[in-house]
Amino acid sequence: MAIRQITIVGTGLIGGSLGLALKKGGFRGKIVGCDSAPVLSRAKRTRAIDVGLADPVEASQGSDVVVLATPVGAIIELTERLAPRLSPSTLLTDVGSTKAEIVSRAGKAFGKDAARRFLAGHPMAGKENSGIAFADADLFRGAVWFVTPLPGQKLKTGIVGEYLRLVKKTGARIAELDAAEHDQLCAWISHVPQMISTALAATLVDEYGGNAPLLESGGRALREMTRIAASPYSMWRDIAITNKKEIADALLKLEQRLGHIRENLDTRGLEEEFERGHGLRKTSGDR
């Protein structure tokens, strides 16, 4: 089927960028945004959306696809709220950074029709800055867009397949994996890096104060390691809550590794850790 109307609930950085990217990729249908009035006003000015409505139920009416681009907690709440109100032919999907809890709750909300009516997704793209002001039509270009299918869900046919073909036109690469596997992987490649950046930045503030010229004197390495410390807590709170075990397990392993390094600063053990760390670049093909 041809998708003629898409609703994006949450037109901030990710939602706004999706609207822009869909249009740049050739989507000629109508994009309806749902957010607060000031955000919708800016989203319309930047042409990320065509129409703006404040109520998610109203905004979803007549759309073939509804994308939930809010923090994870709101995605869960909106899924349960919208499930009984959407047309049976409408696909509900999301861009949440954790998947197991979302998939579980969607399965209960849609029941036996869940595989046909809900698609769990997560684009591995973003910035340390949030909001529609930072929306970018090229945000997803070259990024992986994870999908975690429900049991029996077909990704290449029907409205699910049509939507994913639109996603590919944004420049993203679709990758399929299990929801639990997704959360364990993202704990390591996304969630823990955020916690490290936050911990380092917070410790530097404790040591030197918030106005010390640290970034200028520290150079590129410090800037890169603390850049995402500016990310909003409002988003990461829900990620931490819904992926607590995987993040905690990863942090414990990292703490043990840091402890080992601390105890071997003056031994060959430090060299061994550097050699082990160099192995990551070799396996990733980055020379």
Side-chain angles (χ1 to χ4, degrees):
M1 64 171 292
I3 295 174
R4 295 182 175 85
Q5 181 172 307
I6 296 174
T7 293
I8 301 174
V9 182
T11 53
L13 172 65
I14 300 298
S17 295
L18 179 58
L20 292 171
L22 287 170
K23 290 187 174 186
K24 185 174 181 178
F27 179 65
R28 296 292 177 259
K30 183 178 180 181
I31 298 181
V32 180
C34 179
D35 214 305
S36 64
V39 175
L40 291 174
S41 177
R42 182 151 191 169
K44 282 190 284 187
R45 288 200 306 271
T46 60
R47 297 190 175 184
I49 62 173
D50 302 304
V51 177
L53 296 168
D55 179 68
V57 175
E58 183 182 0
S60 300
Q61 298 307 304
S63 285
D64 303 298
V65 177
V66 176
V67 183
L68 302 180
T70 65
V72 171
I75 288 172
I76 293 171
E77 186 274 327
L78 284 164
T79 297
E80 295 174 338
R81 179 181 172 189
L82 292 174
R85 294 174 172 85
L86 293 175
S87 165
S89 62
T90 298
L91 175 69
L92 183 66
T93 185
D94 79 300
V95 296
S97 298
T98 63
K99 295 270 71 82
E101 183 67 17
I102 290 174
V103 166
S104 174
R105 300 286 278 271
K108 294 175 182 177
F110 285 102
K112 60 182 177 61
D113 293 328
R116 182 174 57 83
R117 299 184 61 192
F118 184 84
L119 174 68
H122 175 207
M124 295 296 291
K127 300 178 182 179
E128 67 272 22
N129 303 110
S130 61
I132 184 63
F134 299 96
D136 181 356
D138 293 317
L139 185 67
F140 309 108
R141 189 158 301 281
V144 172
W145 192 297
F146 285 126
V147 290
T148 59
L150 280 76
Q153 188 166 49
K154 298 179 181 179
L155 299 181
K156 295 183 179 180
T157 60
I159 193 169
V160 171
E162 183 69 21
Y163 173 68
L164 290 180
R165 285 189 283 276
L166 287 177
V167 167
K168 288 181 180 179
K169 290 181 180 180
T170 70
R173 295 179 288 112
I174 305 296
E176 175 186 350
L177 75 170
D178 175 76
E181 182 184 357
H182 167 279
D183 287 1
Q184 194 273 342
L185 174 65
C186 285
W188 280 107
I189 67 174
S190 176
H191 307 163
V192 165
Q194 175 64 53
M195 302 307 167
I196 293 171
S197 181
T198 296
L200 177 58
T203 304
L204 288 171
V205 170
D206 287 346
E207 287 290 320
Y208 296 103
N211 296 319
L214 292 168
L215 296 181
E216 292 80 0
S217 58
R220 178 181 176 184
L222 184 62
R223 286 195 299 273
E224 290 181 349
M225 288 195 67
T226 57
R227 177 181 58 82
I228 59 173
S231 298
Y233 167 71
S234 59
M235 178 182 74
W236 284 97
R237 174 195 60 214
D238 291 355
I239 293 172
I241 290 172
T242 55
N243 204 26
K244 179 179 178 180
K245 182 183 182 302
E246 296 294 350
I247 296 173
D249 288 349
L251 285 173
L252 178 59
K253 291 177 181 178
L254 182 61
E255 288 170 13
Q256 293 170 339
R257 179 72 66 180
L258 288 171
H260 179 71
I261 289 175
R262 183 187 66 243
E263 294 168 1
N264 288 276
L265 292 173
D266 57 352
T267 75
R268 289 292 298 275
L270 181 62
E271 180 183 7
E272 293 171 0
E273 290 301 300
F274 268 75
E275 288 299 321
R276 187 179 297 273
H278 293 164
L280 181 63
R281 287 187 173 274
K282 293 176 183 177
T283 57
S284 66
D286 184 354
R287 298 296 191 271

